[in-house]
Amino acid sequence: MAIRPVADPRQFPPEECARAAQWVLDAFAGAGFPDARLAEMADGSHAVLGTRPGPDPDAPTVLLYAHYDVQPPLNEAGWRTPPFELTEVDRRWYGRGAADCKGNILMHLTALRALGDEVPVNLKLVVEGSEETTGALEGFVPGQADLLRADAILVCDAGNAAVGHPAVTVSLRGVADVVVLVEALASDLLRE
């Protein structure tokens, strides 16, 4: 089922993001997050939140993060393969959002399914739906410290150095907003 979750209602129907949010919720509920639920963000998008207790309540808590929205494909005719249809070409998969961030959602789900009941930590989940546009989660986080508190956050939204060479990237998250003011003379300085 191809879902086109571009979080811009001027370009794609909002129902596509709603379908993606529901798919993510159902997938994580099936992977052991019994309380998986949708939380509406200030911009009207939905984040999927949930918890999965581990075998020891005192074990560390890991927050799994991802986003289901994608950038618009712009000129669909310029794509080698249909942008919203997962297509295999020469043993590689292509599709809009296959790596950023739908592939990362599948990575979380695949790991959870492989581990089954053998997950030794407590898990929390946040999968947002407007990372590529408004970033509404930023406004949600400050009021939700208890809900989101974790010992570690697993963000699998970084690339590999090369095809076939897996990588672990650490400490690259965050944004620095900087305002630079430059003052200059109103005219050239004349020397005599």
Side-chain angles (χ1 to χ4, degrees):
M1 160 181 59
I3 301 175
R4 301 157 40 110
V6 175
D8 183 348
R10 297 168 302 174
Q11 297 182 57
F12 287 86
E15 295 79 23
E16 291 292 308
C17 284
R19 283 181 56 216
Q22 188 63 51
W23 186 95
V24 170
L25 185 148
D26 293 343
F28 279 97
F33 287 81
D35 66 344
R37 64 200 176 282
L38 297 177
E40 187 169 348
M41 301 290 109
D43 67 352
S45 68
H46 289 90
V48 178
L49 307 174
T51 58
R52 179 177 165 171
D56 178 2
D58 295 324
T61 298
V62 176
L63 174 69
L64 305 177
Y65 168 84
H67 63 93
Y68 59 81
D69 64 312
V70 300
Q71 288 284 334
L74 301 178
N75 177 13
E76 292 192 31
W79 284 66
R80 290 186 345 179
T81 62
F84 289 104
E85 291 179 28
L86 189 60
T87 307
E88 184 179 357
V89 177
D90 296 328
R91 297 180 39 205
R92 294 193 65 190
W93 291 99
Y94 294 87
R96 193 67 179 138
D100 180 16
C101 196
K102 294 176 188 176
N104 305 320
I105 293 170
L106 292 179
M107 186 277 315
H108 288 317
L109 290 168
T110 300
L112 290 168
R113 291 171 183 156
L115 291 169
D117 293 332
E118 303 298 318
V119 178
V121 296
N122 299 299
L123 296 173
K124 292 184 177 183
L125 175 69
V126 175
V127 182
E128 68 172 305
S130 63
E131 189 270 351
E132 299 287 3
T133 55
T134 65
L137 188 66
E138 183 178 344
F140 178 78
V141 169
Q144 303 297 327
D146 290 335
L147 176 70
L148 302 173
R149 184 170 286 115
D151 298 294
I153 300 173
L154 186 56
V155 178
C156 299
D157 194 0
N160 295 341
V163 174
H165 296 276
V168 175
T169 305
V170 297
S171 302
L172 289 180
R173 279 302 193 221
V175 173
D177 290 327
V178 178
V179 176
V180 177
L181 297 175
V182 177
E183 292 185 29
L185 297 173
S187 63
D188 292 341
L189 179 64
L190 297 175
R191 293 189 186 176
E192 294 188 24

